[in-house]
Amino acid sequence: MTELSTDAFPPSEEVADVLARPPVRTETVLVPVGPADGHRAEALAETAAEAAGLLQTTVRILHVFTESRFERVRETLSSETDTPLSPDEAATHVEPVRAVARALCTPLRQYGTTMDVTGRVGDDVSREIVAAAEALDAKRVFVGGRKRSPVGKVRNGSTAQQVLLDAPCPVTFVRDFESSTQG
């Protein structure tokens, strides 16, 4: 299970500053962050921040929970609040999401743009990412991943590959060079 943080979000004043500013424009780039994206937070943030700054768009960090995982997260965090957590609130407790938000705050401040965090629940993660991109009329989607063999993609599926094929906008694949050089 993804490491969760029970601390309040945003985790720092710098992140709070970037989250609190009104959006520069209503246009958005989407950065889906999964449970395995913690180690590529810097690469995702750097790539997304540069594009968002150049396009003067808001960065929306998205975390998709499967139904069962969302229930486990709600149970884990339920002692922290009297009301049931929404997917958006739950997403702010997922450590890889927090890592990307922390990595985004300085470059977004330099570019004068903003970010927000949202969550969705659905068992088809790639479909949820595509639906979020469509609902936002996203200008670009940034997905992280690692190099996989064609057999590995068929056997295990590939969320990034499905998003690349189905997204309604350009998709930038941010490759994980660390795990592609191992094994």
Side-chain angles (χ1 to χ4, degrees):
M1 183 175 185
T2 302
E3 206 175 298
L4 295 175
S5 174
T6 56
D7 297 337
F9 189 80
S12 71
E13 286 185 35
E14 290 177 331
V15 175
D17 177 52
V18 176
L19 286 165
R21 282 187 274 164
V24 177
R25 295 167 98 182
T26 57
E27 295 171 335
T28 304
V29 296
L30 185 65
V31 182
V33 177
D37 286 331
H39 65 281
R40 74 179 71 109
E42 292 288 329
L44 278 168
E46 181 181 313
T47 306
E50 184 176 337
L54 293 172
L55 297 170
Q56 285 294 292
T57 61
T58 294
V59 175
R60 172 150 306 164
I61 302 170
L62 169 68
H63 184 75
V64 179
F65 296 94
T66 61
E67 295 278 350
S68 60
R69 197 165 147 267
F70 182 61
E71 286 308 312
R72 287 193 310 268
V73 168
R74 285 177 84 175
E75 287 172 15
T76 301
L77 299 173
S78 66
S79 63
E80 302 294 319
T81 180
D82 295 334
T83 58
L85 286 176
S86 70
D88 291 346
E89 293 167 322
T92 67
H93 290 275
V94 175
E95 194 50 48
V97 169
R98 296 166 77 95
V100 171
R102 284 189 299 270
L104 277 168
C105 72
T106 299
L108 291 182
R109 185 179 298 111
Q110 290 171 344
Y111 285 115
T113 190
T114 59
M115 73 173 144
D116 60 23
V117 176
T118 190
R120 291 178 76 107
V121 179
D123 285 325
D124 187 334
V125 175
S126 59
R127 185 175 296 151
E128 291 298 326
I129 293 168
V130 169
E134 289 170 346
L136 289 169
D137 191 26
K139 298 303 169 205
R140 183 172 297 270
V141 176
F142 295 89
V143 293
R146 63 188 183 281
K147 184 177 179 181
R148 294 168 65 172
S149 70
V151 172
K153 290 176 191 171
V154 170
R155 191 183 69 199
N156 298 324
S158 173
T159 299
Q161 182 179 16
Q162 206 56 50
V163 172
L164 283 162
L165 293 171
D166 296 339
C169 59
V171 177
T172 299
F173 181 78
V174 180
R175 186 170 165 194
D176 179 359
F177 287 100
E178 279 184 30
S179 63
S180 67
T181 60
Q182 300 171 353

